[in-house]
Amino acid sequence: MKRLFFLSLLLVFSVSSIAQYQYFQNFDTLSYGDYIGVEDPHWTTWSNNPGSVEDARVDTVQSFSPNNSIYFMSTSTNGGPQDAVLEFGNEYNTGLFEFEITLFITPGKGAYMNFQAETTIGNTWALDFNFIQDSTMYLNDQNYLYVMSQYPVGQWFRLQFNIDLNANIWKVYLDSVLIGTFQNDANQIASLDIFPLCQSSFGGNGQSEFWVDDIGFTHTPYNLPPENAALYNLGWKQATISGLDNVPVVEIRNLGTATITDFDVVVDYNGMQLTKSVTGVTIPSLATYAFEVDPGFTINASATTIAASVVAVNGTPGDDDSSDDSKSINFIPVVPAPGKVVIVEEATGTWCGWCPRGAVAMEFLARDYQGLAQGIAVHNNDPMTVKPYDDGLNTIISGYPSATVNREADIDPSAIFAPINERITEPPTAWLSNGASYDAATDTLQVSLKTKFDAAANSSWKVACVLIEDGVTGTAAGYGQANYYSGGSNGDLVMPDGTNWANLPSTVPASQMVFNDVARAISPGFTGYGAAFPATVNPNDSFVFNFSFAVEPGWDTANMHIVGMLIKPNGRIDNGSSSSVSEALENGFEPGLQIVGMESLAGPDFYMKVFPNPAVRNEIVALNLYTTDKKAEVIIRDINGKVISINSYTTAKGNNKLLLETTRMVAGTYLVQVITENKSETHRLIVVGR
């Protein structure tokens, strides 16, 4: 799952500047038009086809050191076809690696390249370089945005890397000025791939043109001492949200020849220390070992540095190389605005093999934000579908899986975290709180949603209320989840509990699936209630709205949450509320403006759902009917069209629960048709034997 966060390190030691190179190429001994992959054995192409359209050619239009360079250009939004590769001769993961490259990027155009971590190209990207036409440069991998900086447009500039692979500290310079220091998830380097591209996902315009000159690298090996534990990685288990508890994660690397069996680590944060003693482990030479340092700390808005040190190895203080024993990192805590709850709506379906990506994102959201952001899984074309909600969300998404944060841009579910971090810091126009009462005799949940305004609003603002449920299961085939990650060919997809979708079957059986954050009902509709507020709403004004929900058989209110929404005039969500049903019941129900069943009800005026479906013979089936009409006729036919029963009902505006008997039905498929004064809809009902 792609999650881009800013990360920087405070170094605990210094490293030397760029020195003499084992390899250096300024292209000046070559001739105009030469293919670099043909003339220089260090170069090849992505497909190992020097001299082809993938190769780069020597050019004289621009050069940093007279008179030659190599030229890259593409007008394709997908980049290429050039794809030149400079091989470093090995896979380096220890010692010091130093690299520099000089670039000229045409104004209004962009550029792209990447470090490959393995000699087999295409297995692991160690670092991406994205140069966008607005002069912004991004250095990132699939998980983190490490460095964002500005580069000179229309002139030559030099990038230098000083990479301590032992301690996993990557330093990058632009024209000899340090612009970033970070620890890299890959921490291995084997080649440089240069590919003309200006990526749209970073704001690029799809147009790239640039020249490369004066490129070189060197590697200084590291001789392993007998005993050396390096502080390899340091970070947090969760997103760093001010006010929430978090746990440091430390990774040790054995950079000695002797096996490490025990060690002590001290972690410092915000004036407090935690010591972790690890014993009974077996960490062979060059292997790593990651662990959490419990119980962790509460993130403080003003405390931006965490540090850790290895203080004992194999029963003795210190080790044979103290230069890599300590590390500290700077981070930027996210400081939520008081009263703010961000709403994330995920478009998903059990038929969608890519949709497990959304399920993973929602689980990380629940773990990391602890109620400050609420996810809602809106299902499509499966047994958990709520048609009015699904239809509404489909007006703002382009496909599956998709997600929206406060109903803003349609994005991939894996990309929700950066916009959540932005929206969570914005003060809400009003605070929302939930109350409730429950009538067991009628299975009716009454919800009160209170809005207390901090800023002015008007009659164009709206409210809506959603019920969601965790722990949803089912036995029908439609509850089995398609899984394109099965087998690992599309990479790993790991849940917070360690479950990897790559290890699950291509269709995960219904018996193995548990669905969380499932949307069960939305009232009055996707766009909200349009007559909620007066023409002028002033700060400190409060309004209470009442919503009525018919709790269907099979719903477990102990696992349900009530989600309120305050919707802006432009359709975006300003703020939300989230509470369990039990929490809302403890808060109590507050009478207010009744939304469900009113003349001015927004949303569809007809909706039916048959439950349970499949049903067991001799079981009472509930037909939940939402209508504004006064009469309804229910006709049940077998699959051949033969009428089994006809019943007429007097209905009220809003939700109606009609009971259907299956006593005279044999196992099979039936058609349940509901005809009102203005509407007709037919659903399939499957009846099974006991």
Side-chain angles (χ1 to χ4, degrees):
M1 182 176 65
K2 185 176 182 180
R3 303 179 66 184
L4 296 182
F5 297 111
F6 289 94
L7 180 66
S8 61
L9 298 182
L10 291 178
L11 294 186
V12 296
F13 59 93
S14 62
V15 289
S16 61
S17 60
I18 299 298
Q20 296 296 316
Y21 294 106
Q22 295 170 348
Y23 170 84
F24 185 81
Q25 176 63 269
N26 61 13
F27 312 102
D28 292 339
T29 62
L30 306 178
S31 300
Y32 174 81
D34 283 349
Y35 285 106
I36 186 61
V38 173
E39 302 299 327
D40 187 332
H42 288 86
W43 290 80
T44 183
T45 71
W46 189 270
S47 302
N48 194 26
N49 193 13
S52 69
V53 293
E54 287 188 325
D55 211 344
R57 306 182 78 167
V58 176
D59 193 64
T60 58
V61 173
Q62 297 284 352
S63 66
F64 180 71
S65 59
N67 291 309
N68 295 342
S69 63
I70 54 175
Y71 174 65
F72 295 84
M73 187 274 292
S74 178
T75 59
S76 169
T77 56
N78 296 320
Q82 289 173 288
D83 210 346
V85 176
L86 171 61
E87 298 177 323
F88 299 146
N90 207 338
E91 295 177 354
Y92 299 111
N93 56 32
T94 62
L96 180 66
F97 189 86
E98 299 170 280
F99 171 84
E100 80 168 40
I101 186 171
T102 310
L103 296 160
F104 183 104
I105 300 177
T106 301
K109 305 293 179 67
Y112 170 81
M113 60 192 70
N114 63 75
F115 283 139
Q116 291 285 303
E118 301 179 37
T119 52
T120 300
I121 298 171
N123 281 355
T124 306
W125 277 250
L127 190 69
D128 286 338
F129 305 59
N130 280 285
F131 303 89
I132 307 306
Q133 73 279 353
D134 65 357
S135 80
T136 305
M137 175 182 68
Y138 302 92
L139 302 181
N140 63 279
D141 65 10
Q142 292 301 302
N143 296 312
Y144 297 101
L145 174 60
Y146 295 122
V147 177
M148 183 175 69
S149 183
Q150 300 299 119
Y151 69 87
V153 174
Q155 65 185 68
W156 287 96
F157 64 95
R158 181 176 61 176
L159 282 180
Q160 299 165 288
F161 282 83
N162 199 306
I163 306 170
D164 188 311
L165 293 164
N166 288 353
N168 189 11
I169 297 178
W170 294 49
K171 300 180 72 175
V172 57
Y173 300 81
L174 194 154
D175 288 334
S176 300
V177 176
L178 180 66
I179 60 172
T181 308
F182 55 93
Q183 54 191 11
N184 191 325
D185 278 357
N187 197 45
Q188 181 169 290
I189 192 165
S191 64
L192 174 76
D193 171 49
I194 306 176
F195 182 67
L197 174 68
C198 191
Q199 288 210 61
S200 59
S201 59
F202 285 86
N205 60 9
Q207 306 293 305
S208 57
E209 184 178 48
F210 57 101
W211 287 261
V212 171
D213 204 354
D214 289 20
I215 185 169
F217 65 86
T218 192
H219 176 254
T220 304
Y222 178 71
N223 295 318
L224 302 182
E227 196 168 83
N228 182 24
L231 204 303
Y232 190 62
N233 273 320
L234 174 62
W236 295 99
K237 180 179 180 179
Q238 302 171 190
T240 50
I241 311 295
S242 176
L244 299 186
D245 293 337
N246 213 328
V247 176
V249 179
V250 178
E251 187 173 13
I252 298 297
R253 188 181 190 193
N254 184 354
L255 288 176
T257 57
T259 297
I260 294 175
T261 58
D262 60 83
F263 58 89
D264 291 350
V265 166
V266 176
V267 179
D268 293 85
Y269 173 69
N270 195 27
M272 296 176 286
Q273 283 191 346
L274 289 173
T275 299
K276 178 86 170 184
S277 295
V278 178
T279 61
V281 296
T282 301
I283 311 174
S285 180
L286 298 181
T288 62
Y289 181 80
F291 55 96
E292 298 176 5
V293 183
D294 295 320
F297 305 95
T298 301
I299 299 297
N300 186 296
S302 60
T304 60
T305 301
I306 183 173
S309 299
V310 181
V311 296
V313 179
N314 288 347
T316 61
D319 56 22
D320 293 327
D321 185 352
S322 62
S323 68
D324 53 21
D325 288 350
S326 300
K327 180 177 283 189
S328 61
I329 67 169
N330 279 348
F331 63 95
I332 304 173
V334 176
V335 182
K340 190 64 177 280
V341 176
V342 176
I343 303 298
V344 179
E345 293 164 302
E346 174 214 8
T348 187
T350 59
W351 53 268
C352 167
W354 297 115
C355 285
R357 191 161 72 239
V360 170
M362 298 287 270
E363 291 298 317
F364 275 100
L365 181 157
R367 187 197 74 174
D368 290 4
Y369 293 90
Q370 300 175 34
L372 296 175
Q374 178 61 62
I376 303 173
V378 182
H379 282 254
N380 168 266
N381 199 30
D382 67 26
M384 292 164 282
T385 301
V386 177
K387 193 171 185 298
Y389 206 162
D390 178 44
D391 289 347
L393 190 59
N394 264 281
T395 64
I396 60 175
I397 65 167
S398 57
Y400 291 82
S402 288
T404 67
V405 176
N406 280 355
R407 293 193 182 165
E408 296 181 347
D410 172 26
I411 56 177
D412 188 274
S414 63
I416 61 176
F417 301 98
I420 289 174
N421 290 343
E422 293 175 7
R423 296 296 162 258
I424 206 172
T425 64
E426 298 173 350
T429 300
W431 293 36
L432 278 62
S433 58
N434 301 335
S437 65
Y438 181 66
D439 186 339
T442 60
D443 284 332
T444 301
L445 179 68
Q446 294 281 349
V447 174
S448 59
L449 176 64
K450 185 174 183 178
T451 61
K452 187 176 187 304
F453 281 80
D454 275 350
N458 56 49
S459 58
S460 296
W461 290 64
K462 300 177 182 180
V463 292
C465 188
V466 177
L467 296 185
I468 63 174
E469 185 177 355
D470 292 334
V472 176
T473 60
T475 58
Y479 285 91
Q481 177 66 57
N483 175 25
Y484 293 161
Y485 294 90
S486 179
S489 60
N490 290 312
D492 290 331
L493 187 65
V494 183
M495 301 280 277
D497 65 1
T499 301
N500 189 345
W501 284 84
N503 298 328
L504 299 177
S506 57
T507 298
V508 184
S511 61
Q512 297 180 28
M513 285 303 305
V514 178
F515 299 90
N516 291 327
D517 307 307
V518 176
R520 288 305 203 182
I522 186 168
S523 178
F526 183 76
T527 58
Y529 178 60
F533 303 107
T536 301
V537 178
N538 298 309
N540 295 318
D541 285 352
S542 293
F543 303 87
V544 178
F545 305 95
N546 295 158
F547 301 85
S548 179
F549 295 96
V551 177
E552 294 191 5
W555 290 4
D556 183 358
T557 56
N559 285 332
M560 298 184 77
H561 274 69
I562 299 167
V563 181
M565 298 179 185
L566 176 65
I567 303 173
K568 300 178 184 180
N570 63 2
R572 307 292 189 249
I573 295 174
D574 178 85
N575 198 18
S577 61
S578 177
S579 63
S580 66
V581 169
S582 61
E583 289 170 338
L585 292 172
E586 289 180 9
N587 293 339
F589 178 79
E590 185 175 353
L593 178 63
Q594 184 71 34
I595 302 300
V596 173
M598 294 185 63
E599 292 281 348
S600 55
L601 180 69
D605 59 3
F606 183 91
Y607 174 63
M608 64 174 285
K609 186 173 183 180
V610 180
F611 191 91
N613 192 6
V616 178
R617 187 172 180 267
N618 295 327
E619 182 176 29
I620 299 297
V621 174
L623 190 156
N624 279 5
L625 176 66
Y626 172 79
T627 182
T628 57
D629 292 332
K630 298 179 180 180
K631 296 179 180 180
E633 185 176 66
V634 179
I635 304 174
I636 301 178
R637 297 180 175 88
D638 65 19
I639 196 64
N640 298 314
K642 179 182 177 181
V643 175
I644 304 300
S645 65
I646 301 177
N647 290 285
S648 297
Y649 300 88
T650 299
T651 56
K653 292 182 179 180
N655 288 315
N656 296 265
K657 181 177 290 186
L658 313 180
L659 301 181
L660 311 177
E661 291 190 11
T662 62
T663 305
R664 291 181 291 171
M665 298 182 186
V666 297
T669 300
Y670 295 85
L671 303 177
V672 180
Q673 182 183 16
V674 175
I675 304 172
T676 68
E677 296 169 6
N678 298 299
K679 298 284 185 179
S680 175
E681 187 168 322
T682 301
H683 284 204
R684 290 178 181 266
L685 170 63
I686 299 174
V687 176
V688 297
R690 292 189 182 276

